[in-house]
DNA sequence: CGGTAGCAAGCTACCTTGCTACCGGTGCTGTAGT
């Protein structure tokens, strides 16, 4: 049957969106495929449709539980009942049932962590997996080295499943990210399908403000002026909260904070309210965004700079999905890069911590494997965070060719230093981009190994020139009345306090 | 790095100033025993 007919039959669409057909054809031709498609172009269809052509199960690796639930619901909506999200939301009874009846399902969603559990893997190995999908595959590169190490083991898991046909999906992939994906998944041959990452309707605007106070007042000013809805990204939960209540209390906008510290219920509620237009502004940390499909976001402001260009691009890419004019604003004040550096450093164990820990290590090789598990108190005593501890545990489990304690210690330190170097490098690159005096868009395209676009659009970036007023809310269109006087009073207060504190 | 909470001293009678220590983002998970 023609692919278009299948599309119509199962999903009710007449035509494919850009890239979808290429990806599906590539897979049906038996090729491992890495697809870089812009957000909002229906990436999920790329594995949903092949389900109707391939025998056997489709396993989809998904980074977030909420994302899995969404996708399960989406498939159900299309009338597909053979769908399951195999995760910790299932209680013991249900999980038992699901595991005993896995063959009844066609689409199985799992987290990388789930795959690492032998019981789960054993059950999955009994299936005949026809397609292994890694959704949001840039997570391999972004998280696999430290934050979520199971992401770097997907190749192993894939091997245990008999190296099935594989699809990696992402919206953002530099050459480096692509290499990490290929290496981690251990793909020998593969087809690459890419489309440009450029989003011509999003203008770039970087503004340098002299200090903290000016940044705060400038942000308030911007939120007042700009056409909403919009997202403001922060690198601190507390500041996001503070700013959200400030904006809401002063009647500037209907704003809420969103971050990983909130419980699941609240997060879902806030996200839904924003999507349905009951909120104008989300003050968020990097926790917000994956799986948020809102068409009409008009601005994304960065109050703090992100840790890497890939994250930045993903975050601003949530604006203007409807193709309408949107703006990405980054507020920079001198020294801002210190916060991400600090975050990067605190994630990894320090040299001192490593030295301290190794002084407790047994000298005998065969004792080392379970040493850390047996001595959990060392984690607390040495002040290791959960992530630091896991990085160490993970490193120690790696087989070394020649064993010696010194060897292991040096290896670990080298690993940590390498990671830190990479992370600092990314932060440095972003700073360079902020400080640069060439076209913002051109530099980003260059970073992603793309040719610069010909024929610059009218509103490109602050360097090329931009008509800022075009992004202002127009009278009458504003979804929520802005009390002009209130914020001016507030601004005056901030400035007054500042004068007094001098 | 740069902000801030918390405390103690300083100055004057209830508030200001100064120091220090600490914090800052992303998420998944079988499992123990009463």
């Amino acid at each position: 049957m023609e692919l278009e007919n299948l599309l119509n039959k199962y999903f009710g669409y007449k035509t494919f969106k850009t890239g979808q057909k290429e990806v599906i054809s590539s897979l049906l031709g038996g090729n491992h495929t890495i697809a870089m498609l812009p957000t909002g172009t229906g990436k999920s269809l790329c594995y949903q449709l092949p389900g109707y052509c391939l025998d056997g199960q489709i396993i989809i690796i998904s980074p977030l539980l909420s994302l899995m639930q969404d996708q399960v619901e989406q498939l159900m909506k299309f009338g597909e009942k053979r769908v399951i999200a195999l995760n910790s939301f299932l209680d013991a009874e249900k999980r038992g049932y699901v595991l005993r009846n896995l063959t009844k399902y066609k689409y199985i969603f799992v987290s990388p962590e789930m795959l690492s559990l032998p019981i789960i893997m054993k059950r999955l190995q009994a299936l005949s997996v026809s397609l292994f999908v890694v959704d949001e595959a840039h997570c391999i590169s972004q998280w696999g080295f430290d934050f979520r190490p199971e992401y770097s083991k997907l190749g192993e898991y894939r091997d245990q499943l008999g190296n099935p046909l594989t699809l990696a999906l992402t919206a953002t992939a530099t050459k480096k990210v692509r290499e990490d994906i290929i290496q981690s998944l251990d793909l020998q041959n593969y087809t690459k399908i890419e489309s440009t990452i450029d989003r011509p309707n999003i203008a770039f605007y970087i503004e340098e403000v002299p200090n903290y106070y000016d940044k705060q007042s400038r942000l308030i000013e911007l939120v007042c002026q700009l056409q909403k809805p919009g997202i403001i990204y922060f690198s601190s939960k507390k500041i996001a909260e503070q700013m959200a209540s400030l904006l809401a209390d002063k009647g500037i906008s209907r704003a809420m904070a969103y971050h990983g510290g909130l419980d699941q219920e609240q997060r879902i509620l806030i996200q839904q309210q924003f999507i349905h237009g009951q909120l104008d502004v989300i003050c968020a940390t990097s926790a917000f965004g994956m799986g948020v499909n809102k068409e009409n976001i008009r601005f994304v402001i960065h109050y703090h700079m992100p840790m890497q260009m890939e994250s930045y691009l993903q975050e601003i890419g949530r604006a203007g999905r409807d193709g309408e004019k949107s703006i990405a604003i980054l507020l920079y004040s001198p020294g801002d890069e210190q916060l991400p550096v600090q975050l990067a450093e605190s994630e990894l164990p320090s040299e001192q911590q490593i030295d301290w820990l190794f002084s407790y290590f047994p000298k005998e090789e065969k004792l080392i494997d379970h040493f850390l598990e047996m001595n959990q108190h060392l984690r607390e005593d040495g002040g290791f965070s959960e992530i630091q501890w896991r990085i160490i545990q993970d490193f120690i489990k790696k087989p070394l060719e020649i064993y010696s304690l010194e060897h292991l210690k040096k290896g670990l330190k080298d690993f940590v230093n390498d990671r830190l170097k990479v992370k600092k490098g990314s932060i440095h690159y972003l700073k360079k981009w902020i400080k640069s005096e060439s076209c913002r868009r051109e530099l980003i395209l260059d970073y992603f190994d793309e040719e610069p676009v010909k024929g610059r659009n009218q509103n490109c970036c602050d360097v090329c020139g931009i008509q800022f007023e075009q992004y202002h809310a127009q009278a009458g269109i504003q979804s929520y009345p802005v009390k002009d006087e209130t914020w001016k009073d507030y601004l005056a207060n901030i400035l007054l306090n500042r004068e007094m504190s001098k």
Side-chain angles (χ1 to χ4, degrees), chain A residues 182-197:
Chain A
I182 293 156
Q183 205 193 341
S184 163
L185 292 177
D186 195 21
L187 297 179
Q188 309 301 336
N189 301 299
Y190 61 92
T191 309
K192 191 172 76 183
I193 287 158
E194 348 173 56
S195 66
T196 175
I197 52 126

Side-chain angles (χ1 to χ4, degrees), chain A residues 6 15 25 31 37 69 191 203 206 251 255 344 395 399 403 457 468 489:
Chain A
L6 283 172
T15 53
S25 312
N31 306 302
L37 301 177
Q69 302 302 111
T191 309
I206 297 179
F395 188 86
Y403 175 81
N457 44 327
F468 206 77
D489 284 350

Side-chain angles (χ1 to χ4, degrees), chain A residues 419-436:
Chain A
R419 289 308 304 156
L420 205 56
K421 224 195 264 169
V422 170
K423 283 173 186 258
K424 282 185 178 170
S426 311
I427 298 165
H428 184 72
Y429 187 88
L430 249 149
K431 164 112 190 264
K432 230 173 71 189
W433 178 71
I434 290 167
K435 287 285 179 185
S436 156

Side-chain angles (χ1 to χ4, degrees), chain A residues 32-219:
Chain A
H32 302 313
T33 304
I34 296 184
M36 283 156 278
L37 301 177
T39 26
T41 53
K43 285 202 292 292
S44 347
L45 191 95
C46 297
Y47 60 79
Q48 288 171 346
L49 194 142
Y52 297 103
C53 312
L54 299 166
D55 296 327
Q57 279 79 16
I58 298 187
I59 292 184
I60 303 111
I61 316 300
S62 176
L64 302 180
L65 300 178
S66 59
L67 223 55
M68 291 183 208
Q69 302 302 111
D70 286 353
Q71 260 131 8
V72 167
E73 275 169 36
Q74 200 195 7
L75 273 163
M76 296 269 199
K77 219 172 62 192
F78 286 123
E80 178 56 68
K81 302 253 167 8
R82 302 166 298 163
V83 195
I84 189 73
L86 189 49
N87 60 33
S88 58
F89 284 171
L90 301 175
D91 58 44
E93 200 186 330
K94 184 84 202 279
R95 183 175 46 230
Y97 173 81
V98 170
L99 284 175
R100 281 189 305 274
N101 295 282
L102 269 182
T103 47
K104 288 186 180 165
Y105 301 98
K106 180 81 193 178
Y107 300 91
I108 301 167
F109 290 84
V110 283
S111 64
E113 287 81 0
M114 262 294 174
L115 285 186
S116 75
L117 302 174
I119 278 190
I120 304 286
M121 181 49 86
K122 218 177 103 190
R123 296 289 188 167
L124 291 175
Q125 280 172 322
L127 304 172
S128 55
V129 178
S130 58
L131 184 59
F132 184 83
V133 183
V134 185
D135 197 12
E136 308 288 353
H138 60 275
C139 293
I140 291 175
S141 178
Q142 214 164 326
W143 287 345
F145 294 98
D146 29 52
F147 182 51
R148 292 178 69 179
E150 277 77 9
Y151 255 107
S152 66
K153 293 180 200 148
L154 288 180
E156 270 173 50
Y157 305 145
R158 185 175 162 263
D159 186 52
Q160 289 167 27
L161 292 169
N163 291 311
L165 181 64
T166 297
L167 168 66
L169 289 168
T170 179
T172 347
T174 49
K175 206 169 156 198
K176 172 79 175 64
V177 173
R178 225 147 53 211
E179 280 163 8
D180 288 339
I181 292 173
I182 293 156
Q183 205 193 341
S184 163
L185 292 177
D186 195 21
L187 297 179
Q188 309 301 336
N189 301 299
Y190 61 92
T191 309
K192 191 172 76 183
I193 287 158
E194 348 173 56
S195 66
T196 175
I197 52 126
D198 188 34
R199 300 278 303 280
N201 62 319
I202 302 175
F204 295 96
Y205 197 84
I206 297 179
E207 189 172 316
E208 189 157 342
V209 286
N211 57 54
Y212 176 77
Y213 295 99
D214 289 329
K215 198 194 252 189
Q216 208 179 26
S217 44
R218 180 66 181 136
L219 178 69

Side-chain angles (χ1 to χ4, degrees), chain A residues 5 15 49 68 166 179 195 197 225 265 301 324 363 367 468 479 501:
Chain A
N5 293 339
T15 53
L49 194 142
M68 291 183 208
T166 297
E179 280 163 8
S195 66
I197 52 126
Q225 291 171 343
E265 245 172 72
I301 299 177
E324 297 291 317
K363 300 281 172 273
L367 295 175
F468 206 77
S479 55
S501 67

Side-chain angles (χ1 to χ4, degrees), chain A residues 242-254:
Chain A
Q242 285 169 353
M243 198 53 76
S245 29
L246 199 150
L247 290 170
D249 292 350
K250 300 286 169 191
I252 296 168
S253 75
R254 298 176 301 172

